[in-house]
Amino acid sequence: MSKKYLFLVISLVICSLCCLWASYQYLDKQKELNVRGQYTFIKTLENMESLSAVRLISPQGREINIYYDNGVWKMKEAAGYFISPEMLKKLYNMFNNSIITDIFPADHAISRNLTAYTQATEKDSATGMQIKTFSSDGSLLDDVIIGGENKHLKQHYAKYTNGHASYLISSAGGIMANATLWLPSPLLRIDYILVNGLQIGDKKVAEDDLDTLIMNSPSLQKTFYALQHIDFQDIIRSEDFFKAYPDIQAKEIVFYLRDGLRFELKLYYEENTYFLQIKADTELVSKRRAASFVREHKKFYDGWIFVIDDTIGKLLSEMEL
């Protein structure tokens, strides 16, 4: 074959490959533009039975990794503690109901802004969130960037990380890459009206005497007000905590509630931080609902030490009878 014909054949092959590549590009682009009405997390929905992990990433690089373990969802960043049922409900609502309602081509301003999410030089000012879902074998299912909200339509802008077009999607509200929001809240709630006894160390008072004490003690009034909603800022496995502080001493406080429910608190203070250990139990004579509460909530307390806010920690440390 002469050099002339060889050059012609090579040119035709190159032209064919270019045309084929252009065709694929066109088909991919059309595919991205023909998804109105499709579920946003379609691969996740198709593999819901094997969904085992979800990763949420902020533009600043903060990550939340939740995973399915023995029938419950837990958070890696919280030492494997349970996640908030409310946030889990919002997450499943998004997976099951989020639909693409509008489409913006790659050259649209919204698409450019969402693309800048992963390329932003000013990470501190970038907004948005990337959500990755994984199956039980570790395979990536969906990888979606969710941007700002269209407040008029109450929907969010979004794009697939490796895609070009962007979309407006429904049912994506309330999901944020903020670890605090994913923790159950409140950690503990003790309503004064339900308390019929209190013990601090070796001192114990019954309901009538407690009423008298509280009426004459603004500090006890303030403490019981704070006890209506106790949250935590961090969490440590108790075995790790006591390895780090083997000789630490606790202040012990026991709240006796109606129906026979009992909360035993141990307050620790180390390195300018308040730590709280909680045990839920029942008296020998108790009502069925107290035993039911302990069965349902025991897992949230046993084996864990909670870092609590300085304000409530100080109130508990100064609590006296």
Side-chain angles (χ1 to χ4, degrees), residues 212-222:
T212 302
L213 279 172
I214 291 178
M215 286 177 62
N216 296 289
S217 174
S219 63
L220 275 178
Q221 293 170 17
K222 188 175 181 180

Side-chain angles (χ1 to χ4, degrees), residues 139-202:
S139 300
L140 179 66
L141 298 174
D142 287 302
D143 188 351
V144 182
I145 293 171
I146 297 180
E149 181 184 15
N150 182 311
K151 297 187 183 300
H152 176 66
L153 297 174
K154 294 185 178 179
Q155 297 183 349
H156 284 73
Y157 297 104
K159 76 185 295 282
Y160 294 105
T161 301
N162 294 324
H164 300 92
S166 295
Y167 312 102
L168 196 61
I169 64 172
S170 64
S171 304
I175 306 295
M176 297 179 65
N178 182 331
T180 303
L181 294 177
W182 288 87
L183 296 172
S185 177
L187 168 66
L188 179 66
R189 177 185 287 123
I190 298 177
D191 293 318
Y192 167 69
I193 196 171
L194 300 177
V195 177
N196 61 9
L198 173 63
Q199 181 175 344
I200 301 178
D202 296 329

Side-chain angles (χ1 to χ4, degrees), residues 21-301:
W21 178 82
S23 298
Y24 277 121
Q25 290 291 101
Y26 175 78
L27 289 174
D28 282 343
K29 185 176 180 180
Q30 289 303 111
K31 185 178 179 181
E32 280 194 314
L33 298 176
N34 291 319
V35 292
R36 186 179 281 106
Q38 175 180 294
Y39 285 104
T40 308
F41 291 85
I42 189 166
K43 292 179 181 177
T44 303
L45 270 181
E46 291 172 348
N47 297 274
M48 190 60 80
E49 290 185 359
S50 67
L51 177 65
S52 64
V54 180
R55 182 177 301 155
L56 297 89
I57 310 169
S58 75
Q60 293 75 31
R62 292 190 298 269
E63 283 193 14
I64 294 174
N65 290 273
I66 64 174
Y67 60 95
Y68 193 68
D69 180 42
N70 291 325
V72 293
W73 283 90
K74 301 178 181 180
M75 180 160 56
K76 178 182 176 182
E77 287 71 21
Y81 194 65
F82 311 94
I83 68 170
S84 161
E86 290 77 16
M87 290 301 291
L88 183 60
K89 183 178 179 181
K90 289 179 181 179
L91 187 66
Y92 269 92
N93 178 65
M94 182 176 66
F95 290 157
N96 288 308
N97 299 304
S98 180
I99 292 175
I100 296 171
T101 61
D102 207 349
I103 302 166
F104 306 94
D107 58 355
H108 195 280
I110 289 173
S111 293
R112 292 198 297 272
N113 287 339
L114 282 173
T115 299
Y117 165 90
T118 54
Q119 301 171 353
T121 55
E122 298 295 331
K123 291 290 185 183
D124 290 342
S125 61
T127 59
M129 176 177 55
Q130 184 177 0
I131 299 179
K132 295 183 176 184
T133 59
F134 301 88
S135 65
S136 55
D137 63 0
S139 300
L140 179 66
L141 298 174
D142 287 302
D143 188 351
V144 182
I145 293 171
I146 297 180
E149 181 184 15
N150 182 311
K151 297 187 183 300
H152 176 66
L153 297 174
K154 294 185 178 179
Q155 297 183 349
H156 284 73
Y157 297 104
K159 76 185 295 282
Y160 294 105
T161 301
N162 294 324
H164 300 92
S166 295
Y167 312 102
L168 196 61
I169 64 172
S170 64
S171 304
I175 306 295
M176 297 179 65
N178 182 331
T180 303
L181 294 177
W182 288 87
L183 296 172
S185 177
L187 168 66
L188 179 66
R189 177 185 287 123
I190 298 177
D191 293 318
Y192 167 69
I193 196 171
L194 300 177
V195 177
N196 61 9
L198 173 63
Q199 181 175 344
I200 301 178
D202 296 329
K203 294 183 179 180
K204 183 177 179 181
V205 294
E207 185 173 7
D208 292 341
D209 292 331
L210 182 60
D211 288 341
T212 302
L213 279 172
I214 291 178
M215 286 177 62
N216 296 289
S217 174
S219 63
L220 275 178
Q221 293 170 17
K222 188 175 181 180
T223 301
F224 270 98
Y225 180 78
L227 286 169
Q228 294 180 76
H229 192 109
I230 300 178
D231 273 328
F232 62 102
Q233 301 173 329
D234 203 352
I235 186 168
I236 308 167
R237 291 189 182 274
S238 56
E239 58 189 63
D240 296 330
F241 178 78
F242 291 116
K243 281 181 182 177
Y245 308 109
D247 301 318
I248 196 167
Q249 299 297 309
K251 176 176 183 176
E252 299 185 13
I253 306 172
V254 182
F255 294 91
Y256 299 89
L257 278 64
R258 303 184 194 280
D259 299 338
L261 180 63
R262 183 174 77 241
F263 284 112
E264 301 174 9
L265 308 187
K266 289 186 178 181
L267 181 71
Y268 304 93
Y269 185 71
E270 187 71 35
E271 298 180 4
N272 298 317
T273 303
Y274 289 99
F275 303 91
L276 187 65
Q277 187 176 25
I278 303 170
K279 180 181 178 182
D281 209 341
T282 58
E283 297 296 281
L284 289 176
V285 179
S286 60
K287 292 188 177 180
R288 183 178 298 175
R289 57 187 170 188
S292 176
F293 178 92
V294 171
R295 281 197 305 272
E296 293 174 5
H297 291 77
K298 198 176 180 65
K299 64 183 179 183
F300 292 106
Y301 304 132

